[in-house]
Amino acid sequence: MSSVAVLTQESFNEHRSGLVAEQAGGPSGAGDEEALPTYKDAFPPLPEKASSPDGTQEPANAWTSKIRPLKSSVITQVFHVPLEERKYKDINQFGEGDQAKVCVDIMHKTGAHLELSMAKDQGLSIMVSGKLDAVMKARKEIVSRLQTQASATVAIPKEHHRFVIGKNGEKLQELELKTATKIQIPRPDDPSNHIKISGTKEGLEKAKHEILLISAEQDKRAVERVNIDKVYHPFITGAYNKLVGEMMHETGARINVPPPSVNKTEIVITGEKEQVALAVAMIKKIYEEKKNATTIAVEVKKSQHKYVIGPKGNTLQEILEKTGVSVEIPPPDSSSETVILRGEPDRLGQALTEVYAKANSYTVSSVVAPSWLHRFIIGKKGQNLAKITQQMPKVHIEFTEGEDRITLEGPTKDMQMVQSQMEAIVTDLISRMDYTEIIVDPKFHRHLIGKGGANINRIKDMHKVSVRIPPDNEKSNLIRIEGDPQGVQEASKELLELASRMENERTKDLIIEQRFHRAIIGQKGEKIKDVRDKFPEVIINFPDPSAKSDIVQLRGPRNEVEKCSKFMAKMVVENGFSVSVPIFKQFHKNIIGKGGANIKKIREETNTRIDLPAENSNSEMIVITGKKENCEAARVRILAIQKELANITEMEVSIPSKLHNSLIGSKGRFVRSIMEECGGVHIHFPTEGSGIDTVTIRGPAEEVEKAKKQLLSLAEEKQTKSHTVELKAKPEYHKFLIGKGGGNIRKVRDSTGARIIFPTVDDEDQELITVVGTEDAVREAQKELEELIRSLDNVVEDVMTVETKHHRYFVARRGQVLRDIADEYGGVMVSFPRTGTNSDKVTLKGAKDCVEAAKKRMLEIIEDLDAQVTMECVIPQKFHRSIMGPKGSRIQAITRDHNVQIKFPERLDAPGKGPHANLNESTCDSFEHREEKKFKKCITKSLPFELHRYIIGQKGSGIRKMMDEFEVNIQVPAPELQSDIISITGLANHLDRAKDGLLERVKELTAEQEDRSLRSFKLTITVDPKYHPKIIGRKGAIITNIRTEHDVNIQFPDKNDENQDQITITGYEHKATAAKDAIQAIVDELEEMISEDITLDARVHARIIGARGKGIRRIMDEFKVDLRFPVPGAADPNQVSVTGRPELVDEAIDHLLNLEEEYMADVIENESKMTYMKPPGDRSASSMDDGGRDRGPSKGFVVREAPWQTGTEKAPDMSSSEDFPSFGAPVAATAKASPWGPKRF
């Protein structure tokens, strides 16, 4: 039995420093002995599992007081599904089928482990193991997919439904998981108060109980709604919502006053009934006091209203706090300029003064400046404007695209200076700047720009101008040049010359296989450089190697392109020779050389392309491409490397060509075994049928000689022991013997090993079949072939006459009728003559009885076809679509009901010619003219021409859908006619529906056009780029919220845009304006932020930041500030920057300093503990006694009353790695090895 020791701080210190040395001159006294701990004190025994006999619990000891029980993260639960509730009740398929598939799917989906067992009552027991969350999810899946479902409803008040759902639906999800049910709550616009629950009976009861509990809890709470005019809400909320906050604190009730932007008069109070009643009384008291307040109306310019409101309404709150007067501003969409002040008479004067002061504190003016000058006024990255805005930061300068003016807005005292500075800049620019616009075909724009903008950048730099080329999607031919007047003229002239030259250019695509591209380009591009020098006016573009394209594009003057094309075609012919060289695989790396040195050298010196097979390929062929003489030179050099590396020789052996195939063996089996046995030599046989007897062997000299002996021996054996038999079979049988794709004859070869040779076209005897091989193999093959020939002798071929008019019936639908006959009558082959031969002879081939039966069946079919007649029904073509019906449904029903075939003419047939119907005489009368009398003349409708393409839809989908839906034919005039008239043709009872549907579609399209026009309103706002990341927010959260809230598209400038401070907003005008205000509010808030540096001990930085930055993110989110910690190697490692609003920065700094104080206490404590951790052998003060004397070497940790002191047990050796093994260290081998192997600790 093993024990575990618990060391106290005191015993630990003694263990480290050693016990007090014995007093000089004698043993230690009794006091010292008693000071030693006993074995039981130092190593308390483990607690017994069972209680004491008398039923009392053992007293707590050192173990039970200090060790906490650990719970496993994996749990196991068992669920039982009774037989009557099982969804899959097939007892014979337990462990397989749908039930097993469902269980596997549940395990994959939830990560839990399922085990199924069947009870005696045929109920299903399912044991689920895994983490708690996985088990609960698995339980829900089991109930819904393996157990039959019941349903029930529970009715609770509609206002309690949101408490069942919970925040973000969390309560509902928890309830569904807990009860393993599906709970459906009616939507807010549904008046029903019934909640539907589906699941097992047990789950239904649990869910109903939980829902009723939630409802009962909410019944205890009260909700009161008080309607008070919107104008009195500011008096109830108080300035900055202070008054309503005090009321909530005093009463304990929650008071929800709608914000000023929401036009509601209802104030909602929730809480306990007494609290709600008290809050309502307080609100009504305020209302009674203020409802007789005095009001005055004053006129303030609409443009000045926003200054009275202030950022986020702060100015209104400020006036309310100072004077107790409420200021009512008309909404932005109203044209009214009247501002109403409401309050006590003696305070109205003061409030009015405040309103006028705020209204006149800002001024709006404009400076006239041509729109094309705006970006020069702004300067690169806003440098020019920055000089003004830094001096006057409160002045806002706004540029609007397309307008020849600049709007200035700011404090009245600053406006005059800013306006004069802006006017000076504009006057200066107008005096020294000019612009012009030239027209160039858009297809030449990218050539004017050049590769990577080389051409256009050169022109810009040379002439000191700005050139704006419209992007491809604009499809504009207008190029604008701005800058110095002289530079503008010169740049304009150069661009027009370039465009003129390009108009005379020609582009030609030259097809050159990609494998020749490198040879034409050259190793370092020297060859293509020569070509470009020879034809300097031609631009040659090779495709990217990854594109796998063979197209080389030439562009330039027509004559030069033709000359260059012929020259490059000649290069391809010269460099198109290719040769393959077999090289042993083990020498490929030597051919390549270190870092590719050898192969690179051969390529450069011979001017060839050399391709080696992939490392994982079995091929040994190296392919050389280039000029013929260069390829030969490269081949010689590569073979020389191989010969130098090994004693490689080449030998030719003469073996009769008729034996070559037998020596090679099936799939090269024989020759491969020889090559492998002889050290991987190469044995090359000539092409089959060439008649050449020479076989080439290449490899190390000794191995070549060995392979030659084996090859000649095998050839001799084949010649002496080979056996041949000849058979006769009709030439028409040969293809049946060979089989489709050689399948039959291959089967005979594989089973017998014999080789079967059929006569070629040039052989005299076309019936002779030769079988070659060993005597036994030939005998077996002969037997199998004779059986096949006998079976073919029973095959007969017969001919019957079938009129050509009936051929189509038999071969229609890919010969379905013939396939049915073949299946029914033993695989008889029926061959009809080819179309256009005008032959009526049909051939039948197969067993005699089967041919006769098939022939009889075909005659029956022909007799039935002859009994049919053909009628023509003349129906105007405009009615054909309606007769066919949606997707041909109506015509299919007619053909099915009357057992006829109906053929409609093509659209190009003569008008008036109707469909043909093949009818049985007994059914003719029931069909004739049945449809035509239902039609009436078509109606026309005038609809705007510009809507026609939307009515037609993409690829005609819209018009087809309407024609199918209303079962009419709708004709839209061709685009070139520019006509508004649309014709509708069809059944009388369908025309009105179609007309109404068409008008409804036009109404929808008109509404969509109007909405699209309103939605495309654009607005630009100028924001310093440094604020852009803050506006976007973490992972785009803030900007996404603005986009979603205002339903607009907000576009930030790209990195390469000149106007980096321009943010574009697109959407409805009022929504775009609201989004602009929201962004401006964020910017205003950011401009008010400050940054402060504080000193935090670097030792606590990691604790504050937290794992993966969780701690610092939590602080930044809580205090709405930005924290920046120093980077490694910073001058001051303790300096931390805090950025945000002044009051929030102060709170965050206080919080950080408190955290520092708390964490530093832990740091100091840990450092003090580290002082006790001395390295081994360190004789410090701890080894001295109180008098400063050396206490000598430590005796280790000594205890009294140890088992080895009182009994025969030996004391453990602390220096032994066997008695005290260290974690991960190997244990010293013992003298006697265990039969079970070494011990594992």
Side-chain angles (χ1 to χ4, degrees):
M1 179 177 175
S2 63
S3 297
V4 180
V6 176
L7 300 181
T8 62
Q9 182 65 44
E10 294 79 7
S11 60
F12 175 70
N13 289 336
E14 286 192 5
H15 171 58
R16 289 182 60 255
S17 59
L19 295 176
V20 179
E22 293 181 2
Q23 297 294 330
S28 56
D32 291 340
E33 185 70 28
E34 288 174 2
L36 295 174
T38 63
Y39 182 79
K40 282 189 178 181
D41 289 340
F43 302 102
L46 290 169
E48 294 296 331
K49 187 175 180 182
S51 58
S52 56
D54 58 358
T56 58
Q57 195 71 26
E58 287 287 336
N61 56 26
W63 294 107
T64 55
S65 61
K66 293 184 180 180
I67 296 178
R68 294 182 180 178
L70 295 176
K71 290 186 179 179
S72 172
S73 62
V74 176
I75 65 165
T76 301
Q77 289 190 9
V78 179
F79 307 115
H80 186 70
V81 182
L83 176 63
E84 61 274 10
E85 292 184 16
R86 282 179 57 189
K87 189 174 284 188
Y88 304 98
K89 297 184 180 179
D90 190 351
I91 301 168
N92 297 325
Q93 283 197 343
F94 182 74
E96 57 186 56
D98 293 337
Q99 182 172 275
K101 289 177 185 175
V102 169
C103 290
V104 171
D105 186 47
I106 291 171
M107 287 196 285
H108 283 313
K109 192 181 289 186
T110 64
H113 179 70
L114 272 63
E115 291 184 15
L116 276 69
S117 60
M118 188 86 77
K120 289 183 179 179
D121 60 355
Q122 302 304 324
L124 194 65
S125 292
I126 304 163
M127 185 167 74
V128 187
S129 302
K131 293 190 176 179
L132 179 61
D133 186 42
V135 170
M136 296 308 290
K137 286 180 181 175
R139 177 193 175 201
K140 185 179 177 183
E141 291 284 332
I142 289 165
V143 167
S144 63
R145 298 175 67 179
L146 295 180
Q147 205 165 349
T148 55
Q149 303 290 296
S151 64
T153 58
V154 57
I156 63 171
K158 186 79 176 176
E159 56 269 20
H160 294 177
H161 287 192
R162 63 191 183 94
F163 299 104
V164 177
I165 296 170
K167 188 177 181 181
N168 298 326
E170 290 174 0
K171 182 69 176 176
L172 181 62
Q173 289 175 11
E174 182 188 341
L175 201 56
E176 286 183 333
L177 208 58
K178 184 177 176 182
T179 60
T181 57
K182 177 68 179 174
I183 302 171
Q184 293 178 342
I185 296 176
R187 297 177 63 82
D189 52 3
D190 187 346
S192 172
N193 64 350
H194 285 82
I195 295 175
K196 187 178 179 182
I197 312 166
S198 56
T200 61
K201 292 178 183 177
E202 182 186 356
L204 290 179
E205 293 302 323
K206 283 184 182 178
K208 282 173 70 175
H209 176 70
E210 291 289 341
I211 290 169
L212 290 172
L213 274 181
I214 293 169
S215 180
E217 187 180 334
Q218 295 305 318
D219 278 334
K220 297 175 185 177
R221 298 178 63 80
V223 178
E224 190 76 34
R225 289 175 171 81
V226 181
N227 275 308
I228 292 177
D229 286 344
K230 189 79 177 171
V231 295
Y232 298 109
H233 287 191
F235 298 115
I236 293 166
T237 58
Y240 304 106
N241 290 323
K242 288 180 181 177
L243 187 56
V244 76
E246 290 171 3
M247 283 194 285
M248 286 195 287
H249 183 265
E250 185 178 338
T251 62
R254 183 178 178 82
I255 304 171
N256 184 16
V257 180
S261 57
V262 178
N263 192 22
K264 284 186 179 179
T265 59
E266 188 178 71
I267 298 174
V268 182
I269 306 102
T270 56
E272 299 293 335
K273 292 179 180 178
E274 297 80 3
Q275 297 172 343
V276 169
L278 182 58
V280 169
M282 294 174 76
I283 290 169
K284 286 183 176 178
K285 182 182 177 184
I286 294 170
Y287 171 66
E288 290 297 330
E289 289 175 357
K290 297 295 181 181
K291 71 178 181 179
N292 296 321
T294 307
T295 61
I296 61 170
V298 293
E299 296 297 318
V300 177
K301 287 182 181 179
K302 190 74 178 176
S303 59
Q304 294 177 324
H305 285 190
K306 58 183 176 181
Y307 308 128
V308 178
I309 296 169
K312 295 184 179 180
N314 282 342
T315 304
L316 294 179
Q317 298 294 327
E318 184 184 331
I319 294 171
L320 180 62
E321 186 177 34
K322 280 185 181 179
T323 65
V325 174
S326 168
V327 181
E328 298 162 22
I329 306 289
D333 53 358
S334 168
S335 59
S336 172
E337 294 187 340
T338 304
V339 175
I340 297 172
L341 283 73
R342 189 184 306 272
E344 298 301 325
D346 57 336
R347 296 295 188 91
L348 287 173
Q350 183 186 350
L352 184 59
T353 304
E354 290 282 345
V355 167
Y356 278 130
K358 297 295 182 184
N360 295 321
S361 62
Y362 276 72
T363 307
V364 177
S365 66
S366 62
V367 175
V368 177
S371 58
W372 65 272
L373 273 182
H374 287 186
R375 59 196 189 85
F376 296 104
I377 295 168
I378 294 167
K380 192 175 183 181
K381 295 183 180 180
Q383 288 177 351
N384 295 346
L385 280 188
K387 297 173 184 176
I388 299 172
T389 53
Q390 283 171 5
Q391 293 175 359
M392 309 291 179
K394 293 186 178 180
V395 176
H396 178 65
I397 304 171
E398 185 173 337
F399 295 81
T400 306
E401 189 175 353
E403 291 189 9
D404 293 336
R405 64 188 180 85
I406 303 167
T407 305
L408 308 177
E409 182 181 341
T412 309
K413 58 181 180 179
D414 298 338
M415 285 297 290
Q416 188 174 356
M417 184 184 295
V418 173
Q419 185 160 1
S420 61
Q421 288 181 1
M422 291 296 293
E423 286 172 351
I425 292 171
V426 171
T427 305
D428 177 57
L429 288 172
I430 288 174
S431 65
R432 57 186 180 85
M433 300 289 283
D434 194 8
Y435 79 95
T436 187
E437 292 178 339
I438 60 173
I439 295 173
V440 176
D441 195 314
K443 67 183 179 183
F444 299 132
H445 287 183
R446 63 191 183 93
H447 303 303
L448 291 178
I449 295 168
K451 190 173 182 181
N455 292 347
I456 203 68
N457 288 336
R458 178 183 59 78
I459 292 170
K460 285 179 180 178
D461 295 341
M462 184 186 296
H463 302 295
K464 307 297 181 193
V465 293
S466 170
V467 183
R468 185 190 180 279
I469 297 177
D472 293 340
N473 57 2
E474 284 188 17
K475 296 183 180 177
S476 170
N477 59 0
L478 209 63
I479 296 177
R480 188 182 179 94
I481 309 167
E482 300 166 351
D484 179 72
Q486 186 179 350
V488 167
Q489 294 303 319
E490 290 174 358
S492 170
K493 184 181 176 183
E494 186 172 346
L495 285 171
L496 287 171
E497 285 177 0
L498 279 171
S500 175
R501 201 184 313 154
M502 286 172 192
E503 284 179 352
N504 298 321
E505 282 188 349
R506 184 197 169 189
T507 300
K508 182 175 182 179
D509 289 340
L510 198 61
I511 307 298
I512 300 174
E513 287 185 55
Q514 195 179 42
R515 61 195 178 101
F516 297 132
H517 289 186
R518 192 194 292 176
I520 294 170
I521 294 168
Q523 290 295 325
K524 296 179 180 178
E526 67 279 357
K527 286 189 178 180
I528 199 64
K529 186 175 182 297
D530 293 342
V531 176
R532 284 175 173 147
D533 292 343
K534 190 177 181 69
F535 304 98
E537 295 183 16
V538 179
I539 298 172
I540 306 170
N541 289 323
F542 282 85
D544 190 89
S546 60
K548 305 291 183 187
S549 172
D550 296 335
I551 298 173
V552 178
Q553 193 179 72
L554 309 179
R555 191 179 74 250
R558 190 180 301 274
N559 294 336
E560 292 297 308
V561 166
E562 287 300 327
K563 289 178 185 177
C564 184
S565 173
K566 290 176 183 177
F567 183 80
M568 290 184 71
K570 185 180 176 183
M571 287 180 70
V572 172
V573 173
E574 289 178 354
N575 291 280
F577 182 76
S578 181
V579 65
S580 298
V581 186
I583 299 293
F584 288 104
K585 194 80 175 178
Q586 64 264 33
F587 298 137
H588 283 197
K589 61 182 178 181
N590 303 99
I591 301 292
I592 295 168
K594 189 174 182 181
N598 292 351
I599 197 77
K600 189 177 179 183
K601 186 178 180 182
I602 296 171
R603 281 172 179 159
E604 289 177 354
E605 291 180 1
T606 61
N607 203 13
T608 55
R609 173 188 173 132
I610 304 173
D611 295 314
L612 285 86
E615 286 186 19
N616 54 0
S617 167
N618 292 324
S619 172
E620 296 185 334
M621 289 295 180
I622 295 176
V623 181
I624 308 169
T625 309
K627 291 183 180 179
K628 187 173 181 179
E629 59 272 21
N630 293 344
C631 290
E632 286 299 326
R635 177 176 175 274
V636 170
R637 291 185 62 168
I638 290 172
L639 288 172
I641 292 173
Q642 179 180 246
K643 195 168 183 179
E644 184 183 335
L645 290 167
N647 184 19
I648 303 298
T649 60
E650 190 174 293
M651 186 180 290
E652 293 182 349
V653 182
S654 181
I655 298 174
S657 59
K658 65 180 181 180
L659 297 176
H660 288 183
N661 285 336
S662 60
L663 290 175
I664 292 169
S666 177
K667 297 180 181 178
R669 191 165 57 244
F670 293 156
V671 74
R672 194 161 53 248
S673 66
I674 294 172
M675 289 194 291
E676 288 173 359
E677 193 175 331
C678 300
V681 296
H682 279 290
I683 301 176
H684 178 67
F685 285 84
T687 309
E688 190 174 359
S690 63
I692 300 172
D693 295 339
T694 304
V695 178
T696 307
I697 309 170
R698 186 167 59 251
E702 293 178 5
E703 300 298 338
V704 167
E705 193 63 38
K706 186 178 175 183
K708 177 186 173 185
K709 288 179 182 178
Q710 287 201 23
L711 206 56
L712 291 172
S713 172
L714 187 61
E716 186 181 349
E717 183 183 330
K718 291 285 180 186
Q719 265 184 320
T720 55
K721 294 185 180 179
S722 181
H723 190 66
T724 304
V725 167
E726 293 179 346
L727 299 172
K728 293 274 187 176
K730 294 178 184 178
E732 56 265 31
Y733 288 175
H734 288 189
K735 62 178 179 179
F736 296 106
L737 290 172
I738 294 169
K740 188 175 181 181
N744 294 345
I745 206 67
R746 194 182 301 113
K747 195 183 295 182
V748 176
R749 281 178 183 169
D750 292 345
S751 62
T752 63
R755 189 169 185 79
I756 302 160
I757 303 167
F758 285 86
T760 63
V761 181
D762 301 328
D763 290 342
E764 292 180 7
D765 191 349
Q766 290 292 308
E767 293 187 351
L768 188 67
I769 301 172
T770 308
V771 185
V772 182
T774 62
E775 189 174 351
D776 293 341
V778 168
R779 193 182 302 115
E780 287 293 323
Q782 182 183 7
K783 184 179 176 182
E784 288 192 28
L785 285 171
E786 285 174 347
E787 286 179 5
L788 284 170
I789 293 167
R790 275 197 299 274
S791 68
L792 285 171
D793 284 337
N794 191 34
V795 171
V796 297
E797 188 174 301
D798 200 355
V799 177
M800 66 181 291
T801 302
V802 178
E803 290 184 49
T804 53
K805 66 180 181 180
H806 298 317
H807 288 193
R808 183 178 177 82
Y809 175 81
F810 286 98
V811 299
R813 292 174 295 155
R814 299 182 181 178
Q816 183 62 44
V817 175
L818 296 180
R819 284 202 299 275
D820 294 342
I821 291 171
D823 292 342
E824 191 173 350
Y825 300 105
V828 172
M829 292 177 60
V830 183
S831 301
F832 277 78
R834 289 182 179 276
T835 307
T837 57
N838 293 324
S839 172
D840 58 359
K841 302 297 181 187
V842 178
T843 306
L844 293 86
K845 189 180 291 182
K848 188 175 181 180
D849 296 340
C850 295
V851 168
E852 288 298 323
K855 188 176 179 182
K856 184 179 177 183
R857 172 62 185 145
M858 288 180 68
L859 289 171
E860 289 174 0
I861 294 171
I862 292 166
E863 187 179 348
D864 187 45
L865 292 171
D866 285 335
Q868 295 181 355
V869 296
T870 302
M871 293 182 60
E872 285 191 359
C873 304
V874 180
I875 299 172
Q877 197 172 55
K878 61 185 177 180
F879 299 136
H880 289 186
R881 178 183 285 274
S882 298
I883 292 172
M884 290 180 184
K887 298 182 180 178
S889 59
R890 189 175 290 131
I891 203 68
Q892 287 170 10
I894 294 170
T895 56
R896 185 174 60 252
D897 295 344
H898 300 283
N899 191 24
V900 297
Q901 292 180 351
I902 301 174
K903 180 178 179 294
F904 282 80
E906 300 294 333
R907 290 180 65 87
L908 299 176
D909 287 353
K913 189 175 180 182
H916 300 278
N918 292 332
L919 308 158
N920 224 311
E921 286 183 285
S922 60
T923 62
C924 290
D925 297 335
S926 63
F927 175 75
E928 189 174 9
H929 303 304
R930 192 179 73 168
E931 293 292 320
E932 187 175 2
K933 62 186 179 181
K934 292 184 181 178
F935 290 95
K936 79 171 193 176
K937 291 183 179 179
C938 69
I939 63 171
T940 58
K941 193 70 187 170
S942 177
L943 300 174
F945 171 74
E946 62 268 18
L947 296 179
H948 286 192
R949 64 192 183 101
Y950 299 110
I951 293 170
I952 294 169
Q954 191 175 15
K955 296 182 180 178
S957 59
I959 201 80
R960 276 200 304 275
K961 183 182 176 185
M962 293 180 73
M963 289 194 290
D964 291 343
E965 183 180 351
F966 301 114
E967 301 184 32
V968 294
N969 184 28
I970 303 174
Q971 291 181 331
V972 181
E976 56 268 16
L977 298 178
Q978 300 279 314
S979 172
D980 293 342
I981 304 300
I982 292 181
S983 303
I984 311 171
T985 309
L987 297 175
N989 57 339
H990 292 165
L991 286 176
D992 291 334
R993 282 198 313 119
K995 184 177 76 172
D996 294 341
L998 202 57
L999 291 173
E1000 187 63 32
R1001 178 62 180 148
V1002 168
K1003 194 183 294 182
E1004 290 174 7
L1005 290 170
T1006 307
E1008 284 176 10
Q1009 275 191 332
E1010 292 174 357
D1011 184 71
R1012 203 177 298 116
S1013 175
L1014 292 171
R1015 191 183 282 273
S1016 60
F1017 177 78
K1018 275 193 177 182
L1019 197 64
T1020 305
I1021 180 172
T1022 303
V1023 176
D1024 194 318
K1026 68 181 181 181
Y1027 296 138
H1028 289 189
K1030 295 292 184 183
I1031 296 170
I1032 294 168
R1034 186 179 294 129
K1035 297 182 180 178
I1038 296 173
I1039 202 67
T1040 302
N1041 188 35
I1042 295 172
R1043 283 174 178 148
T1044 307
E1045 184 179 347
H1046 299 287
D1047 191 22
V1048 293
N1049 180 30
I1050 302 173
Q1051 192 68 36
F1052 284 82
D1054 293 328
K1055 288 183 179 178
N1056 300 326
D1057 281 3
E1058 292 183 1
N1059 300 326
Q1060 285 293 309
D1061 56 354
Q1062 298 289 321
I1063 298 175
T1064 306
I1065 307 170
T1066 309
Y1068 295 113
E1069 185 175 359
H1070 67 282
K1071 292 187 175 181
T1073 306
K1076 178 185 174 183
D1077 292 341
I1079 292 173
Q1080 189 60 49
I1082 294 171
V1083 173
D1084 292 342
E1085 188 176 336
L1086 290 170
E1087 287 177 344
E1088 292 174 9
M1089 288 185 177
I1090 62 167
S1091 182
E1092 283 192 25
D1093 294 336
I1094 61 169
T1095 300
L1096 287 181
D1097 197 299
R1099 291 174 290 179
V1100 301
H1101 287 190
R1103 287 281 300 275
I1104 293 172
I1105 293 169
R1108 298 183 181 178
K1110 285 183 181 178
I1112 192 172
R1113 278 201 299 274
R1114 187 170 62 250
I1115 295 169
M1116 290 195 292
D1117 290 343
E1118 183 180 346
F1119 294 98
K1120 303 293 185 294
V1121 295
D1122 187 44
L1123 299 181
R1124 288 287 178 267
F1125 282 81
V1127 295
D1132 186 355
N1134 300 325
Q1135 184 174 298
V1136 177
S1137 297
V1138 187
T1139 307
R1141 294 176 67 86
E1143 64 275 12
L1144 298 176
V1145 167
D1146 292 338
E1147 291 177 13
I1149 290 173
D1150 290 341
H1151 181 71
L1152 288 170
L1153 293 174
N1154 289 338
L1155 286 178
E1156 181 195 31
E1157 186 178 345
E1158 179 185 338
Y1159 294 156
M1160 279 304 296
D1162 294 342
V1163 169
I1164 293 166
E1165 184 180 344
N1166 289 335
E1167 288 179 350
S1168 65
K1169 284 182 180 178
M1170 290 301 293
T1171 58
Y1172 293 102
M1173 304 302 289
K1174 303 296 180 186
D1178 184 11
R1179 300 293 299 277
S1180 63
S1182 62
S1183 62
M1184 303 291 179
D1185 61 14
D1186 295 337
R1189 293 169 297 176
D1190 191 343
R1191 295 186 298 193
S1194 170
K1195 294 183 179 180
F1197 183 58
V1198 182
V1199 293
R1200 294 181 291 122
E1201 302 176 12
W1204 54 85
Q1205 293 174 341
T1206 56
T1208 58
E1209 196 175 331
K1210 184 184 174 185
D1213 181 6
M1214 287 191 294
S1215 64
S1216 167
S1217 61
E1218 212 173 323
D1219 287 347
F1220 293 94
S1222 60
F1223 290 111
V1227 179
T1230 55
K1232 185 178 178 183
S1234 168
W1236 303 104
K1239 291 182 182 180
R1240 292 180 176 87
F1241 291 95

